[in-house]
Amino acid sequence: MTIRVVQWGLGAMGSGMARLMLDKPGLRLVGAVDARPDLAGRDLGEVLGLGRRLDVPVSSDPATVLHADADAVDVVVIATTSWVAQQLPDLRRILQAGINVVSIAEEMAAPEAQHPDIAAELDALARKHGVSIVGVGVNPGFVLDLLVVTLTVGSHEVTRIEASRVNDLSPYGPTVMASQGVGTSPEAFAAGVADGSIVGHVGFPESIALISDALGLGVDRIEQHREPIVSAVRRETPYVVVEPGMVAGCAHTAVAYRGDREVIRLSHPQQVLPELAGQPTGDYITIHGTPEIRMSTGPEIAGGVATIGMAVNTIPRIVAATPGLKRIIDLPAPAALMGERAYERRV
């Protein structure tokens, strides 16, 4: 079976997913959508810098792709925003067209965690039109939730979860830097947290919901804390210079309780060039219970690369799923789809 895919959003993540799909024999790109008018009408191969045509024009009007032929598209992979409320109008259009959806919006990993009304609407809409929708990504969607749950497969009991992800923000651009307070003073950081312009990590409530529901931990309260990571050394990226005494990133922690008992603690200290401060990147998970389990990786599981892979590898799972809103814990765990180039390297 060949799955026909439309890629909606051709930023760094969307373009990466489109390129990866081209190496997967079971997937066929049949359309592309992007809001930027300078891309409209251009061939997707040109936009992706492939040096060849794909005969897939980029459209700035989703209706021309979603409704050109009711049976021409099996799934839309959408990479436009982190926020489910912002993506909701587009998700409605896709589902109403009778097309499955894979979203990489962080809040879509478990939309009921913060937007139960939207989650209920999406579930009802998907069921009505006989399709499925899921949100995936490296975090939330894998490192601090699905991977945690998977590691408990041999556990007799789980009493508490601790997990953290230390990553390097230096590859990211000004928008991400601003959302983490990079380059600000500690005072400006505090003001940004207060007014909501500095958000830290997007996805802790979603990861906690996935873990709690999968393991039956019964979380009923979450506390989040955001603190500045103040640099003692000079750090410079193509987008920002951080002098000693300035903020290099955000240490964001979420603690989940069942009653008065802490059952989940997740932390995500994101900063530029952490190695300059003697901090290696990595992912760290501790599962308290029987048996106690500790896992660590170093360096971190590459965020952008893994999100691209997660989205593409989930496509067959969501196409085969029963109708409705799904979460990654509701589906068979995705695995790498063998591509033509990977097969040639292996043999």
Side-chain angles (χ1 to χ4, degrees):
M1 175 184 177
T2 298
I3 299 174
R4 298 158 299 181
V5 188
V6 166
Q7 177 60 51
W8 189 327
L10 293 170
M13 292 295 98
S15 294
M17 288 183 279
R19 292 188 191 95
L20 184 58
M21 289 178 214
L22 295 172
D23 187 43
K24 306 301 180 183
L27 306 180
R28 180 160 62 93
L29 272 169
V30 296
V33 177
D34 195 279
R36 289 170 289 180
D38 59 303
L39 299 186
R42 294 172 60 187
D43 186 80
L44 181 59
E46 176 193 352
V47 172
L48 297 178
L50 301 179
R52 60 185 174 94
R53 291 182 57 83
L54 296 176
D55 294 325
V56 176
V58 177
S59 176
S60 59
D61 180 8
T64 63
V65 176
L66 301 182
H67 300 290
D69 183 335
D71 297 318
V73 181
D74 298 305
V75 61
V76 170
V77 179
I78 184 166
T80 55
T81 180
S82 297
W83 319 105
V84 67
Q86 291 182 5
Q87 200 169 78
L88 181 59
D90 296 333
L91 298 178
R92 285 178 179 143
R93 297 181 71 174
I94 300 166
L95 295 175
Q96 287 168 349
I99 301 171
N100 300 289
V101 186
V102 175
S103 168
I104 65 165
E106 284 92 330
E107 289 188 339
M108 273 299 297
E112 75 284 354
Q114 299 191 78
H115 306 282
D117 292 345
I118 293 178
E121 178 187 347
L122 291 173
D123 184 54
L125 198 57
R127 290 174 183 271
K128 177 181 178 181
H129 293 279
V131 292
S132 303
I133 177 172
V134 68
V136 299
V138 72
N139 186 37
F142 181 47
V143 175
L144 295 186
D145 36 62
L146 179 62
L147 183 56
V148 173
V149 171
T150 302
L151 287 172
T152 69
V153 68
S155 296
H156 296 202
E157 66 171 353
V158 174
T159 58
R160 185 163 59 91
I161 299 290
E162 293 180 78
S164 64
R165 177 168 169 80
V166 181
N167 71 324
D168 182 3
L169 289 175
S170 60
Y172 295 93
T175 300
V176 171
M177 297 291 186
S179 73
Q180 305 301 314
V182 177
T184 66
S185 67
E187 295 76 18
F189 182 96
V193 170
D195 67 23
S197 60
I198 294 177
V199 299
H201 171 58
V202 179
F204 275 145
E206 290 72 25
S207 287
I208 288 169
L210 293 174
I211 295 171
S212 179
D213 288 356
L215 302 183
L217 294 179
V219 167
D220 53 32
R221 177 168 58 93
I222 300 173
E223 295 180 357
Q224 297 192 61
H225 309 279
R226 300 168 182 85
E227 300 293 336
I229 299 173
V230 179
S231 186
V233 298
R234 188 178 190 275
R235 314 184 196 193
E236 182 176 353
T237 81
Y239 303 103
V240 68
V241 174
V242 177
E243 300 289 353
M246 296 173 66
V247 174
C250 177
H252 191 171
T253 301
V255 184
Y257 298 87
R258 178 176 183 171
D260 294 328
R261 183 168 69 90
E262 177 184 316
V263 291
I264 302 173
R265 177 179 290 265
L266 304 180
S267 63
H268 198 0
Q270 303 188 77
Q271 59 186 301
V272 294
L273 302 171
E275 68 275 9
L276 295 181
Q279 174 64 68
T281 67
D283 303 297
Y284 310 92
I285 297 171
T286 300
I287 299 168
H288 298 277
T290 306
E292 183 167 296
I293 299 168
R294 296 179 183 272
M295 188 220 75
S296 64
T297 70
E300 62 178 298
I301 296 172
V305 173
T307 293
I308 289 168
M310 190 84 174
V312 173
N313 293 332
T314 300
I315 290 172
R317 300 291 196 265
I318 201 63
V319 170
T322 56
L325 172 64
K326 308 297 180 182
R327 300 170 301 172
I328 195 63
I329 60 172
D330 302 322
L331 301 173
L337 301 176
M338 181 62 75
E340 293 178 350
R341 286 176 293 177
Y343 179 77
E344 290 169 359
R345 288 193 297 268
R346 190 178 70 173
V347 299

